[in-house]
Amino acid sequence: LHTAYRRQRQMCIRDRLDGVGLTKAQEIVAYREMFGNFHSVEELADVKGIGPATVEKNRQRIIVVNK
C-alpha cells in the first residue's frame, strides 16, 4: 500500500509540474519523506535535480500548506 501511494504521488507531481519527469518526481517524494513537508516554494530547489529555474517556472502551480 505504501509503495502504491508513493508511486501515485510521483505520477501526480510529474503530471502537474513543467520540466519534472518521473526521476525528478521521485527525488521530490524522497526529499519530503526524509525531511518532512516543504516550508516554502523555494525549498523545492534543495531537491536533487530541481533548480531555481524549475521552481520559478512552476511557482504558480505550487502551493505550500504549513500545518
Side-chain angles (χ1 to χ4, degrees):
L1 183 62
H2 177 70
T3 302
Y5 181 67
R6 187 172 202 249
R7 182 76 168 166
Q8 182 181 14
R9 287 185 293 168
Q10 293 167 355
M11 300 307 243
C12 181
I13 292 167
R14 180 201 67 188
D15 293 345
R16 292 196 170 114
L17 297 181
D18 284 343
V20 175
L22 184 57
T23 301
K24 288 182 183 177
Q26 290 169 337
E27 291 292 337
I28 292 169
V29 171
Y31 182 95
R32 187 169 178 258
E33 288 174 349
M34 184 177 288
F35 297 105
N37 292 335
F38 288 95
H39 294 81
S40 70
V41 173
E42 291 76 19
E43 187 180 356
L44 190 60
D46 294 339
V47 176
K48 179 182 175 185
I50 305 290
T54 301
V55 172
E56 285 305 316
K57 185 175 9 177
N58 290 288
R59 185 173 290 280
Q60 298 301 318
R61 295 183 177 119
I62 301 169
I63 297 171
V64 176
V65 178
N66 294 313
K67 292 185 179 183

